[in-house]
Amino acid sequence: MNSDSRKNIWIKLCLLAIDAVMILASAVLASLLLSGSVSERFITIAVFTALCNLVLLVCLKFYRYKLLKSSIELSLYSFIAFASVCFFGAIIFIVSPINTKSDVSFLIVYQVFAFLAVLGYRVLYIVANRYLGKKKGRQYPTTLVYGAGEIGNTL
């Protein structure tokens, strides 16, 4: 294994860890918003659903994209993962005999916060890097190729 592939693995693991922290922070925020305290039941739900979210993100190849080359496709993959966990989790809670209405509302609020947090820090990083960072060595102005998708990034 060469140094570039090791570096890529470390970067992907770091992104996965940051995502896990952002997802769990969203759970704490949602718990505080809904119940006024950090509920042990909500945190248990959050840990389980966070693992499901991260597994789905990995399965959808969410981490294969470079952070600066993110696109609408990345947002779509993220939405699919979070919406799937939210949908199936809500169905499980509705069918469950030990269901409380607060579980379903917590799950929905928490998944929305987690989705926004995971995409939000990526967008902030991209904006900060593109507009605050100095790009040296460019001979040509930046060009937008509308409708080219991922191929437009390589141009």
Side-chain angles (χ1 to χ4, degrees):
M1 189 180 297
N2 62 18
S3 64
D4 284 342
S5 61
R6 283 187 188 148
K7 181 180 176 186
N8 287 337
I9 289 171
W10 278 108
I11 289 171
K12 289 177 183 181
L13 287 175
C14 287
L15 286 174
L16 192 68
I18 292 169
D19 286 349
V21 168
M22 296 300 281
I23 291 170
L24 292 177
S26 299
V28 171
L29 181 64
S31 180
L32 288 172
L33 182 71
L34 293 174
S35 69
S37 65
V38 179
S39 167
E40 183 178 331
R41 180 171 174 81
F42 287 165
I43 296 303
T44 304
I45 293 168
V47 169
F48 177 72
T49 55
L51 289 173
C52 292
N53 281 330
L54 293 172
V55 167
L56 273 174
L57 288 173
V58 168
C59 290
L60 290 170
K61 298 181 181 174
F62 183 74
Y63 297 102
R64 76 177 169 145
Y65 293 97
K66 293 183 178 178
L67 202 53
L68 289 176
K69 304 282 185 190
S70 297
S71 66
I72 298 297
E73 190 175 353
L74 186 74
S75 302
L76 178 66
Y77 290 153
S78 178
F79 177 76
I80 289 170
F82 285 98
S84 298
V85 170
C86 186
F87 177 74
F88 290 114
I91 288 174
I92 290 170
F93 285 133
I94 290 170
V95 174
S96 173
I98 57 171
N99 173 35
T100 62
K101 289 182 182 180
S102 61
D103 291 345
V104 177
S105 60
F106 167 74
L107 182 67
I108 293 169
V109 171
Y110 153 58
Q111 289 294 304
V112 169
F113 283 174
F115 172 73
L116 293 175
V118 167
L119 283 182
Y121 85 85
R122 282 177 163 75
V123 169
L124 286 175
Y125 179 81
I126 291 167
V127 168
N129 194 11
R130 287 188 182 162
Y131 296 109
L132 299 177
K134 304 280 184 200
K135 297 198 177 195
K136 298 178 182 176
R138 282 214 167 169
Q139 298 173 6
Y140 306 105
T142 303
T143 304
L144 175 67
V145 180
Y146 183 74
E150 294 299 319
I151 294 175
N153 285 334
T154 60
L155 294 176

